């Protein structure tokens, strides 16, 4: 089916689509724990998530990695649960569980049959306040996260380059420190560091409960009152305050050579505004801009200009995610074609951006992209766990339920003028970091 046939149909579907927040309710327990319930009765499954408003960007300088370290330690056990018992119980009941840490939050989730919701809620509430970390177990888990860094970062030149770029982009703000932590600081983490983090941030008044699936809101509230309600809040929990980034006064550039590089490439990031509570218009325009520039290899602005028209590249892309508590970044990348230098590839990227800023987007392409993004928002409703994550991540990043519900409308409201205004404000090299990743001089590149 071609785009010409499918997109007009999608346009009609979007006009008749139900409200994004259909089946969403909200309550707050007396101890300060916020809760969101998302009803979806198509399958007898429930997703249970607890989000803590504490991520790596909240760490004390010098103890990077402690947020992720505690995430691992949370699976060791409690005064009532043996190490590994929570995950084993979830699996024995046909479910799955996991956790993840980001800059702005740490989240724990279980996917399980809806009639077992009380089981996972009881266990999750238990480890919110009664975690037990033995002297032996913490040292083992420390080695686990160091090995995770070995595999995911230290063995990947691209991941190492991203670390260096973030550090160059954020000179003062903690987004410049990797979520997993700097290796030398990770190696110095202790049980006391993890416990201090746990006691400071893991509290009902610093947590968001999200339950999605085949559930009844009144029953979810009853269970939340039963299991989370008795937990005492942490007194004196201060608002999140982070150091700010000083104005960037000059373009920053990096060159990194590594014999493991298979394909050299150019990547650039710009400081960019995040989604703000009550006003998501700038982030919506940047979301559309990223799709226009690099969302599709065959039809995007950079794909057409660099891959198909000039043949300077074999790949080009753009990326933006405004879901963060503080200022985000907008990224561009180019993988040069054989025989094209990194300098020539970067020059071609700059020329393509200049042409876009001069000529603007093709109206038909703009309309198609905006429709596609709106369609993606509708299709996302089919994934219960994805919906739970959408609400949890937004609330943990300073947004509200109203902001989540308003996001599709914000995207649909973006005009060509909005995109061009956002692009003109964004593409200032004085607010950018450009990096070249290559093999050491004189070494060949794998064809």
């Amino acid at each position: 089916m071609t785009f010409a046939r499918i997109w007009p149909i999608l346009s009609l579907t979007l006009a008749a689509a139900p409200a994004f927040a259909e089946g969403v309710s909200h309550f707050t327990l007396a101890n300060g724990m916020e809760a969101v319930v998302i009803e979806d009765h198509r399958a007898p499954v429930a997703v249970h998530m607890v989000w803590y408003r504490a991520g790596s960007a909240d760490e004390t300088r010098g103890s990077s990695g402690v947020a992720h370290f505690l995430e691992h330690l949370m699976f060791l056990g409690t005064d009532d649960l043996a190490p590994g018992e929570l995950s084993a119980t979830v699996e024995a009941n046909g479910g799955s569980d996991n956790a993840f840490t980001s800059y702005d939050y740490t989240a724990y989730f279980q996917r399980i049959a809806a009639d077992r919701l009380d089981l996972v809620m009881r266990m999750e509430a238990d480890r919110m306040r009664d975690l037990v970390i033995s002297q032996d177990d913490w040292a083992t888990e420390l080695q686990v996260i160091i090995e995770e860094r070995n595999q995911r970062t230290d063995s990947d030149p691209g991941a190492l380059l991203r670390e260096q770029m973030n550090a160059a982009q954020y000179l003062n703000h903690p987004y410049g420190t990797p979520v997993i932590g700097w290796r030398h600081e990770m190696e110095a983490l202790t049980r006391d560091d993890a416990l201090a983090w746990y006691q400071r941030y893991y509290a009902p008044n610093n947590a968001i409960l999200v339950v999605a699936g085949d559930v009844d809101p009144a029953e979810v509230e009853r269970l939340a009152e039963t299991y989370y309600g008795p937990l005492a809040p942490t007194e004196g929990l201060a608002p999140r305050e982070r150091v700010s980034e000083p104005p960037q006064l000059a373009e920053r550039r990096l060159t990194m050579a590594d014999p493991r590089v298979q394909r050299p490439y150019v990547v650039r990031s710009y400081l960019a505004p995040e989604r703000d509570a009550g006003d998501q218009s700038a982030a919506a325009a940047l979301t559309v801009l990223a799709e226009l520039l690099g969302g599709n290899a065959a039809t995007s602005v950079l794909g057409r200009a660099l891959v198909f028209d000039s043949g300077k590249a074999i790949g080009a892309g753009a990326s933006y995610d405004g879901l963060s508590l503080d200022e985000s970044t907008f990224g561009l990348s180019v993988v040069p074609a054989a025989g094209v230098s990194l300098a020539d590839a970067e020059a071609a990227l700059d020329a393509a951006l200049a042409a876009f800023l001069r000529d603007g987007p093709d109206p038909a392409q703009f309309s198609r992209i905006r429709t596609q993004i709106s369609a993606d928002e509708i299709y996302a409703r089919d994934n219960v766990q994805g919906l739970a994550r959408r609400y949890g991540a937004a609330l943990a990043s300073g947004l509200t339920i109203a902001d989540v519900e308003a996001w599709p409308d914000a995207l649909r409201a973006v005009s060509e003028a909005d995109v061009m205004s956002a692009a003109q404000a964004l593409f200032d090299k004085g607010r950018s970091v450009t990096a070249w990743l290559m093999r050491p001089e004189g070494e060949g590149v794998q064809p």
Side-chain angles (χ1 to χ4, degrees):
M1 189 177 292
T2 66
F3 283 127
R5 292 173 183 167
I6 193 170
W7 291 118
I9 296 173
L10 285 175
S11 296
L12 294 174
T13 304
L14 292 173
F20 182 75
E22 184 179 9
V24 176
S25 55
H26 174 257
F27 61 89
T28 302
L29 299 179
N31 60 13
M33 188 172 188
E34 192 172 1
V36 178
V37 183
I38 307 166
E39 293 182 77
D40 186 333
H41 301 288
R42 292 175 297 175
V45 175
V47 174
H48 172 269
M49 308 189 80
V50 171
W51 298 72
Y52 293 96
R53 294 183 178 92
S56 66
D58 300 295
E59 295 167 342
T60 302
R61 215 173 268 278
S63 62
S64 65
V66 69
H68 177 246
F69 183 31
L70 180 63
E71 177 212 308
H72 279 248
L73 296 173
M74 285 286 284
F75 290 86
L76 292 183
T78 70
D79 54 352
D80 296 322
L81 297 169
E85 184 178 348
L86 187 152
S87 294
T89 301
V90 172
E91 183 178 2
N93 281 272
S96 60
D97 75 316
N98 214 324
F100 48 88
T101 304
S102 186
Y103 288 113
D104 299 316
Y105 50 73
T106 308
Y108 302 83
F109 68 90
Q110 300 86 30
R111 181 181 176 90
I112 201 162
D115 61 0
R116 312 296 166 86
L117 178 61
D118 61 336
L119 174 65
V120 297
M121 195 177 289
R122 173 177 59 80
M123 293 189 294
E124 193 65 77
D126 184 32
R127 67 174 171 178
M128 181 179 286
R129 281 307 205 185
D130 293 329
L131 181 67
V132 174
I133 304 175
S134 74
Q135 292 288 349
D136 295 331
D137 288 338
W138 77 265
T140 300
E141 287 303 316
L142 182 60
Q143 294 308 308
V144 169
I145 65 167
I146 290 173
E147 181 56 30
E148 183 177 339
R149 181 181 167 91
N150 288 340
Q151 294 179 1
R152 295 187 178 183
T153 305
D154 295 335
S155 64
D156 181 354
L160 290 171
L161 181 70
R162 286 191 294 274
E163 271 193 352
Q164 295 299 306
M165 286 190 68
N166 285 340
Q169 186 82 79
Y170 296 100
L171 295 184
N172 197 44
H173 191 279
Y175 285 170
T177 299
V179 172
I180 198 167
W182 298 116
R183 185 186 183 95
H184 68 288
E185 292 182 353
M186 293 169 66
E187 292 172 339
L189 292 174
T190 67
R191 176 177 179 270
D192 288 344
D193 293 329
L195 283 173
W197 181 265
Y198 176 70
Q199 290 161 1
R200 180 177 182 182
Y201 290 113
Y202 279 49
N205 54 325
N206 199 42
I208 304 156
L209 169 67
V210 181
V211 177
D214 189 21
V215 296
D216 173 65
E219 176 64 7
V220 172
E221 185 167 1
R222 185 190 71 79
L223 291 172
E225 291 280 7
T226 299
Y227 294 116
Y228 292 111
L231 302 179
T234 293
E235 299 297 333
L237 191 62
R240 301 167 93 174
E241 294 182 358
R242 296 174 178 167
V243 295
S244 59
E245 187 69 11
Q248 184 173 340
L249 303 179
E251 176 186 6
R252 298 164 191 165
R253 302 187 65 86
L254 302 171
T255 300
M256 182 173 173
D258 191 301
R260 297 169 295 181
V261 171
Q262 298 301 307
R263 285 284 181 191
Y265 60 79
V266 179
V267 61
R268 180 183 296 159
S269 63
Y270 297 84
L271 286 174
E274 74 282 2
R275 284 171 63 181
D276 288 326
D279 183 6
Q280 304 178 92
S281 57
L286 289 170
T287 300
V288 175
L289 175 63
E291 286 296 317
L292 273 171
L293 291 178
N296 183 290
T299 61
S300 67
V301 170
L302 297 181
R304 295 298 305 175
L306 303 181
V307 179
F308 292 96
D309 293 345
S310 70
K312 295 280 188 180
I314 60 172
S319 62
Y320 168 75
D321 181 1
L323 194 55
S324 60
L325 192 62
D326 300 315
E327 196 167 32
S328 185
T329 58
F330 188 105
L332 301 169
S333 61
V334 180
V335 182
V340 177
S341 68
L342 292 174
D344 286 344
E346 183 181 347
L349 170 64
D350 287 333
L353 292 177
F356 177 78
L357 290 172
R358 181 186 67 241
D359 302 332
D362 173 79
Q365 174 76 341
F366 174 81
S367 178
R368 185 185 71 79
I369 288 294
R370 193 173 56 177
T371 301
Q372 175 187 328
I373 292 174
S374 297
D376 289 343
E377 290 292 321
I378 292 175
Y379 297 149
R381 301 174 192 164
D382 285 335
N383 186 321
V384 175
Q385 188 163 324
L387 269 179
R389 289 187 67 148
R390 184 179 298 243
Y391 277 87
L395 268 62
S397 301
L399 299 177
T400 66
I401 289 177
D403 293 320
V404 179
E405 295 170 352
W407 181 238
D409 289 337
L411 292 169
R412 281 191 286 269
V414 173
S415 67
E416 291 183 41
D418 294 332
V419 168
M420 295 310 297
S421 177
Q424 288 159 0
L426 176 71
F427 293 132
D428 173 5
K429 278 195 175 181
R431 286 168 54 85
S432 74
V433 176
T434 302
W436 292 5
L437 182 64
M438 63 183 72
R439 292 179 65 84
E441 189 174 352
E443 295 194 16
V445 176
Q446 182 173 314

